[in-house]
Amino acid sequence: RILSIDYGGKRTGLAVTDPEQIIATGLTTVKTQELFTFLKKYCAAEPVEMFLIGDPRNWDLSDTHATPLVKECITRLKKEFPQIPVVTLDERMTSKMAKQALLDMGLKKKDRRKKELVDEVAATILLQEYLMSR
């Protein structure tokens, strides 16, 4: 499985592939402070071959306010899971695409405002883009 991470200051969206790495599915959204506890439990229960994490960039490819946070997360991932490679992927537009996907699915406005759902869908879109690019 590949586990995708849409890392945020407060919440982190997660998505995962099936064992054959064909389909990306939303997994959950966790409080960022609980991310590594969740990942340790998940990786103990399911084989994870790779972490895919969104690389936040501005349109001119400069760092965003979130870039240093993601870099810290990557460092910690490599330290706590040294056997699992970490790959980054440009995440520009994933949140907007997630919001549009929720709208296209016909979700009510109240449900589309749930940032947890947007984060999970953004992680899923990131993972699907990676799968399609291989």
Side-chain angles (χ1 to χ4, degrees):
R1 293 181 192 271
I2 299 171
L3 195 143
S4 173
I5 302 170
D6 181 42
Y7 190 85
K10 294 179 184 178
R11 291 171 317 280
T12 296
L14 300 170
V16 69
T17 63
D18 59 297
E20 290 79 31
Q21 299 181 2
I22 298 169
I23 300 168
T25 306
L27 183 59
T28 190
T29 299
V30 297
K31 292 180 183 174
T32 296
Q33 64 198 34
E34 299 168 3
L35 174 62
F36 282 88
T37 301
F38 178 89
L39 291 177
K40 286 176 186 174
K41 288 179 185 175
Y42 187 84
C43 290
E46 296 287 341
V48 174
E49 293 180 33
M50 185 183 94
F51 291 119
L52 176 69
I53 189 165
D55 184 19
R57 296 281 164 194
N58 290 312
W59 284 111
D60 64 359
L61 298 179
S62 61
D63 289 356
T64 70
H65 68 284
T67 305
L69 298 173
V70 170
K71 287 181 180 178
E72 286 176 29
C73 179
I74 292 169
T75 300
R76 189 167 173 198
L77 282 169
K78 289 178 178 179
K79 180 181 174 192
E80 298 208 21
F81 303 96
Q83 73 285 7
I84 302 175
V86 179
V87 173
T88 60
L89 186 66
D90 184 342
E91 71 170 21
R92 287 177 293 175
M93 295 296 291
T94 55
S95 290
K96 286 184 183 181
M97 289 169 67
K99 289 175 184 172
Q100 185 61 47
L102 294 172
L103 181 65
D104 292 346
M105 289 173 13
L107 278 154
K108 295 179 183 174
K109 192 172 189 177
K110 182 178 111 176
D111 293 327
R112 292 193 315 263
R113 285 191 182 142
K114 293 180 180 173
K115 293 182 180 180
E116 300 85 9
L117 187 56
V118 173
D119 294 335
E120 183 180 329
V121 173
T124 307
I125 289 170
L126 185 73
L127 185 51
Q128 191 63 48
E129 285 182 358
Y130 175 80
L131 292 174
M132 289 171 42
S133 74
R134 293 195 302 177

